[in-house]
Amino acid sequence: MGQTPSRLVRAMDRLRGRPIDYAIDDHRARLAAIAALEPELLALSDEGIAERAGRLRQRVVAGQPLEIVVTEAFALARDAARRALGQRPFDEQILAGLALHEGQVAELSTGEGKTLAATAPAFLNALGGHGVHVLTFNDYLARRDAAWMRPVYRLLGIGVGFVQEGLEVEARRLAYAAHVTYATAKEAGFDYLRDGLRLEPAGLVQRPFHFAIVDEADSILIDEARIPLVIAGETAGTAAGLERLAALARGLRPGVDFDTDEYGHNIALTEAGTARVESLLGCGPLYSTRNLTLHAHVRNALHAQHLLKRDVDYIVRAGKVELVDDFTGRVADRRRWPDGLHAALEAKEGVRQQPEGQILGSIALQHYLGLYPKLAGMTATAEPAAEELHDFYGLRVAIVPTHRPIIRVDHDDVVFTHKAAKLGALVGEIARVHATGRPILVGTASVGESEELLAALGAAGVPGQVLNARNDEHEARVIEAAGALGAVTISTNMAGRGTDIRLGGPHETERSRVVSLGGLYVIGTNRHESRRIDRQLRGRAGRQGDPGSTRFFVSLEDDLVRRYGVERLVTTRHLPPRQDGPIDGPLVATEIARAQRIVEAESLEIRRTLYAYSGPVERQRAAISSRRRAVLLATDAQDEVVDGCATRLGELHPGLPEPQAIARRVFLLTLDRAWSDHLAEARDLQEDSHLLAFGGKYPLAEFQRQIGAAFPALVERIEGEAMSAVDALVVGPGGVDWEASGLRGPSATWTYLIGENPFAACGWLNPSHRPQVLFAAVLLPPLFVLQGVALLWKRYRERKDRASRAAE
């Protein structure tokens, strides 16, 4: 066994009521029982193992509870892994698997073998014939892990499938029909949304949900959980003239034509800037009602031009603007910024605008994962997020001891007064260590920073490889060589989670030499807003008892430090003037760590607020989805509306074949259109609710009241419009002409994620800025108040337009 937390730590956790368990304490007896079966299983042939697994499956299908067969199932899975892979799961991996089976988040240190640990609980929970989903961090891992673990499952008589972007519908259906399916959480969520628009039961690809194991659980369940997954359909055209507005924004002068807040999150025209825009566009008063749309486009052009940074917030590749995920450093697949901002960014960069479309369905990952009756997760960094995992998902964290003691050395931060001094010190440190032959991994904060450091090292005669969102197709090759003698690898957060860097690289003979040099040396060039990301970067070194060391180089000009004013927290006596050497004393590093804790607390409050906003809509979505599925599958033959529509069809068109099926299709298409309009109204209400703060009302309470009142009207509207649609059906010799009847479904749909508005941190949702609402209500310039009134008028007109379309 490896290291376990001290009794004092465990006692303090219990005293504080933290939702944390220590797996070895709870499962020692079961672990011994699993080990006791080993000699018996060793004596069997492969066919004998398969036969015994088959008998176990029959018992579970016949109704035997899983808790009775846990020991035997885990012993079989361990033996199958030994036979199929030559890898006998360690006791610690078995402990992690037991925690997963019990619906916990298992914290295993990096390098402890999470992929193998998940096979036993997946096998056990698949015995009854229900699907088990293993939700991975990216498509590559879904494909790799399914192929890697397939021999284990095959020996146990369990089928395995995987889902990735681009897979055809039938291949998806077969993958979900397998006992165990590997997929990303996003792709599985997108399939759920697509199934929510199917018009025939045969089109469904997913089975009812049963059990999900979430890999990199803290990232998926927390960092990405609030990001909505979206399915959209075509709309008429895109906004015109955005290229002209992009050129206009480029010519506006900071401090003269526009101002930004101190965090660089928000931007607004000055009086002089407003006059200049009105003159250049010849549009008259920019804030007039007729210019509402133009004003929104101008603001987006300003945001795109002056606040969003190329090679930091996004990259341009293959003629497309691609967002860079803050947490992973990777391209965020199919993610778009909302409300026209992405189109403005495309205009800024002169690339073809991608369609945004009308949102037909949406669900946040947090709510999608909540659909699984049983949920579990695994990650190396669960403990810092234990309270949030419990509050949002009801999941406890199980701390699993390491197989071998961790001997990695984590050095104190080195802090500099400015970035240039930090860069010089980084180059010097890397050159010094590189001369010894020891491999180095450098984690940077952005694409631009990684390439700047590579250039500086090249000028110093130090060769290196870079891994970032721009060249992510080379990830496997770069990571494979990152642990080799003399390797210098510079990476964004791409190398900070889910990557296994082997000492010696592809040459096993060099491993002992690298070990003698101290193992992998990991350098971080910035502290991140989440300590979990820093811990993931450190975790690339010192895996499975290997040696290694880590160190962070930080400057007072780094984004985290400047954005949260860390230098203002330090007295002048402890803050030296600009200098090339590091700052002596630990106080600055202590304040940076405090800033991280503050940011994490604020982020948690934002997630709580957003969850409170999304909760009522999610409950409404669940009710609509349940009724839709019942109608689709005809599980409720007494649906009054569908039956009424079928009866009316028989009256209007006697002899029309299959009136019930036609009525069902009419109802589904009507429901889909009405729900899409309801989602747009919910978004409008959420945005409008923030303006209610000026009237002394609590925005969240008002939103919940208004969206709650809108739902009964939605249900009534669906039922009325379905009957009206039956009356308006165009029926010819060939049957119903759906196109002429105005009931054609979308000819094209696509999925994407709504990236977080990069300026929302300073918006009304941020709990830390609630005092500003009172301040703004007293001192806000009349111009902004007029903008608020104009926004409300715009929302009113949009709703009127939707109502008119519905009436037509």
Short mmCIF file of all heavy atoms in Angstrom, two decimals, residues 472-504:
data_model
loop_
_atom_site.label_atom_id
_atom_site.label_comp_id
_atom_site.label_asym_id
_atom_site.label_seq_id
_atom_site.Cartn_x
_atom_site.Cartn_y
_atom_site.Cartn_z
N ASP A 472 -2.50 20.40 -32.50
CA ASP A 472 -2.95 19.31 -31.64
C ASP A 472 -2.98 17.96 -32.34
O ASP A 472 -3.03 16.92 -31.69
CB ASP A 472 -4.33 19.61 -31.03
CG ASP A 472 -5.36 20.01 -32.09
OD1 ASP A 472 -5.02 19.99 -33.30
OD2 ASP A 472 -6.49 20.35 -31.72
N GLU A 473 -2.92 17.96 -33.69
CA GLU A 473 -2.90 16.67 -34.39
C GLU A 473 -1.61 15.90 -34.13
O GLU A 473 -1.53 14.69 -34.37
CB GLU A 473 -3.09 16.88 -35.89
CG GLU A 473 -1.93 17.57 -36.62
CD GLU A 473 -2.02 19.09 -36.56
OE1 GLU A 473 -2.84 19.61 -35.76
OE2 GLU A 473 -1.29 19.75 -37.31
N HIS A 474 -0.56 16.59 -33.63
CA HIS A 474 0.71 15.93 -33.33
C HIS A 474 0.83 15.52 -31.86
O HIS A 474 1.91 15.16 -31.40
CB HIS A 474 1.88 16.84 -33.68
CG HIS A 474 1.89 17.29 -35.12
ND1 HIS A 474 1.86 16.41 -36.17
CD2 HIS A 474 1.91 18.52 -35.67
CE1 HIS A 474 1.87 17.08 -37.32
NE2 HIS A 474 1.90 18.36 -37.04
N GLU A 475 -0.29 15.59 -31.12
CA GLU A 475 -0.23 15.39 -29.67
C GLU A 475 0.40 14.06 -29.28
O GLU A 475 1.29 14.01 -28.43
CB GLU A 475 -1.63 15.50 -29.08
CG GLU A 475 -1.67 15.27 -27.58
CD GLU A 475 -3.06 15.45 -27.00
OE1 GLU A 475 -3.99 15.75 -27.77
OE2 GLU A 475 -3.19 15.29 -25.78
N ALA A 476 -0.06 12.96 -29.88
CA ALA A 476 0.43 11.64 -29.48
C ALA A 476 1.95 11.54 -29.68
O ALA A 476 2.67 11.02 -28.82
CB ALA A 476 -0.29 10.56 -30.28
N ARG A 477 2.45 12.05 -30.81
CA ARG A 477 3.88 11.96 -31.09
C ARG A 477 4.69 12.80 -30.11
O ARG A 477 5.73 12.36 -29.61
CB ARG A 477 4.15 12.42 -32.53
CG ARG A 477 5.63 12.46 -32.89
CD ARG A 477 5.82 12.88 -34.34
NE ARG A 477 5.23 14.17 -34.63
CZ ARG A 477 5.80 15.34 -34.33
NH1 ARG A 477 6.98 15.36 -33.70
NH2 ARG A 477 5.21 16.47 -34.64
N VAL A 478 4.21 14.01 -29.82
CA VAL A 478 4.95 14.90 -28.92
C VAL A 478 4.97 14.33 -27.50
O VAL A 478 6.02 14.32 -26.84
CB VAL A 478 4.33 16.32 -28.93
CG1 VAL A 478 4.98 17.21 -27.88
CG2 VAL A 478 4.47 16.95 -30.31
N ILE A 479 3.84 13.84 -27.03
CA ILE A 479 3.77 13.29 -25.67
C ILE A 479 4.62 12.04 -25.55
O ILE A 479 5.28 11.81 -24.52
CB ILE A 479 2.31 13.00 -25.28
CG1 ILE A 479 1.53 14.31 -25.13
CG2 ILE A 479 2.24 12.19 -24.00
CD1 ILE A 479 2.06 15.23 -24.06
N GLU A 480 4.65 11.21 -26.58
CA GLU A 480 5.44 9.98 -26.53
C GLU A 480 6.92 10.28 -26.29
O GLU A 480 7.61 9.54 -25.60
CB GLU A 480 5.28 9.20 -27.84
CG GLU A 480 6.02 7.87 -27.83
CD GLU A 480 5.93 7.15 -29.16
OE1 GLU A 480 5.75 7.82 -30.20
OE2 GLU A 480 6.04 5.91 -29.16
N ALA A 481 7.39 11.41 -26.86
CA ALA A 481 8.82 11.74 -26.75
C ALA A 481 9.12 12.66 -25.57
O ALA A 481 10.29 12.98 -25.32
CB ALA A 481 9.30 12.40 -28.04
N ALA A 482 8.10 13.10 -24.82
CA ALA A 482 8.32 14.14 -23.81
C ALA A 482 9.16 13.66 -22.64
O ALA A 482 9.76 14.49 -21.93
CB ALA A 482 6.97 14.65 -23.29
N GLY A 483 9.23 12.36 -22.39
CA GLY A 483 10.03 11.85 -21.28
C GLY A 483 11.40 11.35 -21.68
O GLY A 483 12.12 10.79 -20.85
N ALA A 484 11.79 11.59 -22.94
CA ALA A 484 13.07 11.09 -23.42
C ALA A 484 14.22 11.96 -22.92
O ALA A 484 14.03 13.11 -22.50
CB ALA A 484 13.07 11.06 -24.95
N LEU A 485 15.43 11.41 -22.96
CA LEU A 485 16.62 12.16 -22.57
C LEU A 485 16.73 13.44 -23.39
O LEU A 485 16.60 13.42 -24.62
CB LEU A 485 17.88 11.32 -22.80
CG LEU A 485 18.24 10.29 -21.71
CD1 LEU A 485 19.36 9.39 -22.19
CD2 LEU A 485 18.66 11.02 -20.43
N GLY A 486 16.92 14.56 -22.72
CA GLY A 486 17.13 15.82 -23.38
C GLY A 486 15.89 16.47 -23.97
O GLY A 486 15.99 17.54 -24.60
N ALA A 487 14.71 15.89 -23.75
CA ALA A 487 13.49 16.44 -24.34
C ALA A 487 13.07 17.72 -23.61
O ALA A 487 13.09 17.77 -22.38
CB ALA A 487 12.36 15.42 -24.28
N VAL A 488 12.71 18.73 -24.38
CA VAL A 488 12.11 19.96 -23.84
C VAL A 488 10.77 20.12 -24.55
O VAL A 488 10.72 20.35 -25.76
CB VAL A 488 13.00 21.19 -24.08
CG1 VAL A 488 12.27 22.45 -23.60
CG2 VAL A 488 14.34 21.04 -23.38
N THR A 489 9.69 19.98 -23.80
CA THR A 489 8.35 20.04 -24.37
C THR A 489 7.61 21.23 -23.75
O THR A 489 7.49 21.32 -22.53
CB THR A 489 7.56 18.76 -24.08
OG1 THR A 489 8.33 17.63 -24.52
CG2 THR A 489 6.22 18.77 -24.81
N ILE A 490 7.15 22.13 -24.62
CA ILE A 490 6.41 23.31 -24.17
C ILE A 490 4.96 23.11 -24.58
O ILE A 490 4.66 22.88 -25.75
CB ILE A 490 6.97 24.58 -24.81
CG1 ILE A 490 8.46 24.70 -24.52
CG2 ILE A 490 6.23 25.81 -24.31
CD1 ILE A 490 9.17 25.66 -25.43
N SER A 491 4.06 23.19 -23.62
CA SER A 491 2.68 22.86 -23.91
C SER A 491 1.74 23.81 -23.18
O SER A 491 2.06 24.35 -22.12
CB SER A 491 2.38 21.42 -23.48
OG SER A 491 1.01 21.10 -23.67
N THR A 492 0.57 24.01 -23.76
CA THR A 492 -0.53 24.64 -23.03
C THR A 492 -1.09 23.59 -22.07
O THR A 492 -0.49 22.54 -21.87
CB THR A 492 -1.61 25.12 -24.00
OG1 THR A 492 -2.06 24.01 -24.77
CG2 THR A 492 -1.07 26.19 -24.95
N ASN A 493 -2.27 23.84 -21.54
CA ASN A 493 -2.86 22.89 -20.60
C ASN A 493 -3.16 21.54 -21.22
O ASN A 493 -3.62 20.62 -20.53
CB ASN A 493 -4.17 23.46 -20.02
CG ASN A 493 -3.91 24.59 -19.07
OD1 ASN A 493 -2.79 24.81 -18.66
ND2 ASN A 493 -4.96 25.32 -18.72
N MET A 494 -2.91 21.39 -22.53
CA MET A 494 -3.16 20.11 -23.20
C MET A 494 -2.41 18.98 -22.51
O MET A 494 -2.87 17.84 -22.49
CB MET A 494 -2.75 20.19 -24.67
CG MET A 494 -3.68 21.03 -25.51
SD MET A 494 -3.11 21.14 -27.21
CE MET A 494 -3.24 19.44 -27.74
N ALA A 495 -1.21 19.26 -22.00
CA ALA A 495 -0.42 18.22 -21.35
C ALA A 495 -0.67 18.17 -19.85
O ALA A 495 0.02 17.46 -19.13
CB ALA A 495 1.07 18.45 -21.61
N GLY A 496 -1.67 18.90 -19.37
CA GLY A 496 -1.90 18.98 -17.94
C GLY A 496 -2.93 18.03 -17.40
O GLY A 496 -3.17 17.96 -16.21
N ARG A 497 -3.60 17.27 -18.26
CA ARG A 497 -4.65 16.35 -17.77
C ARG A 497 -4.77 15.18 -18.75
O ARG A 497 -4.87 15.37 -19.95
CB ARG A 497 -5.99 17.08 -17.66
CG ARG A 497 -7.08 16.25 -16.99
CD ARG A 497 -8.41 16.95 -17.04
NE ARG A 497 -8.51 18.05 -16.10
CZ ARG A 497 -8.92 17.94 -14.84
NH1 ARG A 497 -9.24 16.75 -14.36
NH2 ARG A 497 -9.02 18.99 -14.06
N GLY A 498 -4.73 13.98 -18.20
CA GLY A 498 -4.99 12.81 -19.01
C GLY A 498 -3.82 12.33 -19.86
O GLY A 498 -3.98 11.43 -20.67
N THR A 499 -2.63 12.92 -19.69
CA THR A 499 -1.48 12.49 -20.48
C THR A 499 -0.51 11.71 -19.59
O THR A 499 -0.27 12.09 -18.45
CB THR A 499 -0.75 13.69 -21.11
OG1 THR A 499 -0.42 14.63 -20.07
CG2 THR A 499 -1.62 14.37 -22.14
N ASP A 500 0.03 10.65 -20.16
CA ASP A 500 0.96 9.79 -19.43
C ASP A 500 2.33 9.92 -20.09
O ASP A 500 2.54 9.43 -21.20
CB ASP A 500 0.47 8.34 -19.48
CG ASP A 500 1.32 7.41 -18.62
OD1 ASP A 500 2.19 7.93 -17.88
OD2 ASP A 500 1.13 6.19 -18.70
N ILE A 501 3.25 10.59 -19.41
CA ILE A 501 4.59 10.81 -19.95
C ILE A 501 5.51 9.76 -19.34
O ILE A 501 5.77 9.76 -18.13
CB ILE A 501 5.08 12.23 -19.65
CG1 ILE A 501 4.16 13.24 -20.33
CG2 ILE A 501 6.53 12.42 -20.10
CD1 ILE A 501 4.47 14.69 -20.01
N ARG A 502 6.01 8.87 -20.19
CA ARG A 502 6.85 7.76 -19.73
C ARG A 502 8.31 8.18 -19.69
O ARG A 502 8.82 8.75 -20.67
CB ARG A 502 6.68 6.55 -20.65
CG ARG A 502 5.26 6.01 -20.67
CD ARG A 502 5.15 4.83 -21.64
NE ARG A 502 3.78 4.32 -21.67
CZ ARG A 502 3.27 3.45 -20.80
NH1 ARG A 502 4.05 2.97 -19.83
NH2 ARG A 502 2.04 3.03 -20.89
N LEU A 503 8.96 7.93 -18.57
CA LEU A 503 10.38 8.27 -18.45
C LEU A 503 11.19 7.44 -19.45
O LEU A 503 11.03 6.22 -19.54
CB LEU A 503 10.86 8.02 -17.03
CG LEU A 503 10.16 8.82 -15.92
CD1 LEU A 503 10.86 8.62 -14.58
CD2 LEU A 503 10.09 10.30 -16.27
N GLY A 504 12.05 8.12 -20.18
CA GLY A 504 12.80 7.47 -21.24
C GLY A 504 12.13 7.56 -22.59
O GLY A 504 12.73 7.22 -23.61
#
